[in-house]
Amino acid sequence: MREQVPAEDREVLDESLEAVGDGSAASPSALRRALRNISGVASLVRAGAPAVESVRRILDSLNS
């Protein structure tokens, strides 16, 4: 997916993935924000549907 988005969106993806890391060091709010950024970028490209669904499931589990 990364290759299918403009450079600005790749930067958002990179920053968000860095914030997520392995999930253990990220605060819940930072994790949610990063996941929403990833989902937003993924929704802009056709191949991003699986990523959007994955993020939705993760966010649902965080909210439970």
Side-chain angles (χ1 to χ4, degrees):
M1 174 178 71
R2 189 176 186 284
E3 295 78 28
Q4 298 176 5
V5 299
E8 310 83 58
D9 291 335
R10 284 193 299 270
E11 186 176 328
V12 169
L13 288 175
D14 291 344
E15 290 170 358
S16 297
L17 290 172
E18 185 178 321
V20 170
D22 66 4
S24 64
S27 71
S29 62
L31 185 57
R32 282 186 191 92
R33 188 171 35 259
L35 290 170
R36 287 187 182 116
N37 286 343
I38 292 167
S39 179
V41 172
S43 69
L44 298 174
V45 295
R46 173 175 279 165
V52 171
E53 179 61 20
S54 296
V55 167
R56 186 192 63 76
R57 289 180 184 201
I58 293 167
L59 287 170
D60 285 349
S61 70
L62 290 174
N63 293 328
S64 299

